[in-house]
Amino acid sequence: MASSSSSSTLVLSTLFSSLPHPTTKLPFSSFPTSPILPKLTLSSSKPLKSNTIQSSRVHLLRRFRAYTTIRDAEKEEEERAFVGEDSAEFLLSKQKLSSWLYFTAVLGTVLFVLNVVWIDNSTGFGKPFIDAVSRLSDSHEVVMLLLILIFAIVHSGLASLRDAGEKLIGERAFRVLFAGTSLPLAVSTVVYFINHRYDGVQLWQLKDVFGVHELVWLSNFVSFLFLYPSTFNLLEVAAVDKPKMHLWETGIMRITRHPQLVGQVVWCLAHTLWIGNSVTVAASIGLIGHHLFGAWNGDRRLTIRYGDNFEVVRKRTSIVPFAAIIDGRQKLPKDYYKEFIRLPYFAITALTLGAYFGHPLMQTASFGLHW
């Protein structure tokens, strides 16, 4: 580096250059040039001392590092900005008594129509549907898989057509079409499973093994907490409120982005362990396969609907439970537990306990249909 009697040229190194030790005196010309930081020309008739140069260089580098750290923190905070919705939020101040009375009327009407049109063997199409599918194979395992496949095609197919369908006939009308088609097929599949769950080949018998009953009970209880996040807003489910495609981001979503998939896997593993025969294995394979497709299809639809916002949620969540938390992509707030102390979770807990104690009633009702 050249110098003259009238001026001296000081070249600052980049952040990635190594600083000389404070006790080391380097010649002025030993500082490397930088493609990033500009050259700084100091007007001086006297040459700068090496310790003055070193002090200025350290001071500037410290300021650069501090600036970079602040910018990185701001960028991280921006990336973690809340872009989704608070799941399971239920505020009494926002509830209307008229809406819940309407919901009760809609629910009663749906159950009445479902019973007449589908469940009642004297008037409904449920038994003829089961008989038609059963004629395709003498194997209960094959029939079980066919019933799940039919339900999956209709359910996921209509879900994929949701955007186009809502534009064509409206959100509420499409929800009625979706539920009116999926619900009867779901009932048929569940009833057939209950009636034929002990058919087929017995593969293992672990019911008398110590702790298996408790493990299965606990697993089923946990599975329901994962299975039903989509029912957080019952008024939308019944089309009382205008149905929306939600981008949930709190509560169970922090643990896994696809809680229904996780809940179904846990439910299937628990029931397969308990019953231990080929029909249950077939049902579990079909249900898990359907929910794996549903997880992929759900991400695809959310990408189309929410774009960059969903990509933000995708990056800080995981499909595998707790994976995003473990690797640091999901930062849990200190009061995370409060996201579960909400009425919808208490309602799911009550329904789960009711379903467990109501097993004999469900079995009796299913046997009476002879599906």
Side-chain angles (χ1 to χ4, degrees), residues 140-315:
H140 294 299
E141 294 85 351
V142 172
V143 175
M144 187 78 255
L145 285 171
L146 286 173
L147 289 172
I148 295 174
L149 179 62
I150 293 170
F151 169 77
I153 292 173
V154 173
H155 185 81
S156 294
L158 286 175
S160 299
L161 296 173
R162 179 173 180 173
D163 288 341
E166 289 181 343
K167 291 179 181 178
L168 183 64
I169 62 176
E171 291 89 342
R172 286 187 172 90
F174 187 83
R175 173 55 60 89
V176 172
L177 173 64
F178 179 80
T181 308
S182 301
L183 187 57
L185 296 176
V187 170
S188 296
T189 305
V190 171
V191 170
Y192 187 87
F193 173 75
I194 292 175
N195 287 347
H196 298 279
R197 69 192 186 283
Y198 288 116
D199 296 335
V201 180
Q202 192 68 37
L203 303 175
W204 58 80
Q205 183 60 261
L206 302 176
K207 289 184 178 181
D208 296 329
V209 175
F210 175 78
V212 170
H213 177 270
E214 289 73 16
L215 175 62
V216 170
W217 188 94
L218 181 62
S219 298
N220 277 287
F221 181 82
V222 171
S223 74
F224 275 79
L225 295 178
F226 283 87
L227 269 170
Y228 294 107
S230 61
T231 61
F232 283 154
N233 193 335
L234 292 176
L235 296 180
E236 287 185 24
V237 174
V240 175
D241 287 347
K242 184 179 292 187
K244 301 176 183 178
M245 184 185 295
H246 293 279
L247 183 61
W248 302 122
E249 198 179 350
T250 62
I252 204 74
M253 298 299 174
R254 296 184 188 272
I255 297 176
T256 171
R257 188 169 68 252
H258 289 289
Q260 286 180 290
L261 167 62
V262 174
Q264 189 65 75
V265 170
V266 173
W267 186 94
C268 287
L269 292 178
H271 279 76
T272 303
L273 176 66
W274 181 251
I275 299 174
N277 65 10
S278 55
V279 171
T280 311
V281 170
S284 296
I285 291 173
L287 289 171
I288 292 174
H290 173 222
H291 280 76
L292 285 172
F293 172 80
W296 170 83
N297 195 34
D299 280 355
R300 182 187 66 84
R301 292 165 55 219
L302 287 170
T303 299
I304 295 173
R305 178 67 67 95
Y306 289 101
D308 292 340
N309 282 347
F310 175 67
E311 289 303 317
V312 172
V313 175
R314 186 206 295 267
K315 288 179 181 178

Side-chain angles (χ1 to χ4, degrees), residues 85-89 232 248-253 339 342 345:
E85 298 178 64
D86 189 11
S87 63
E89 183 183 29
F232 283 154
W248 302 122
E249 198 179 350
T250 62
I252 204 74
M253 298 299 174
E339 296 179 0
R342 293 176 171 178
Y345 283 110

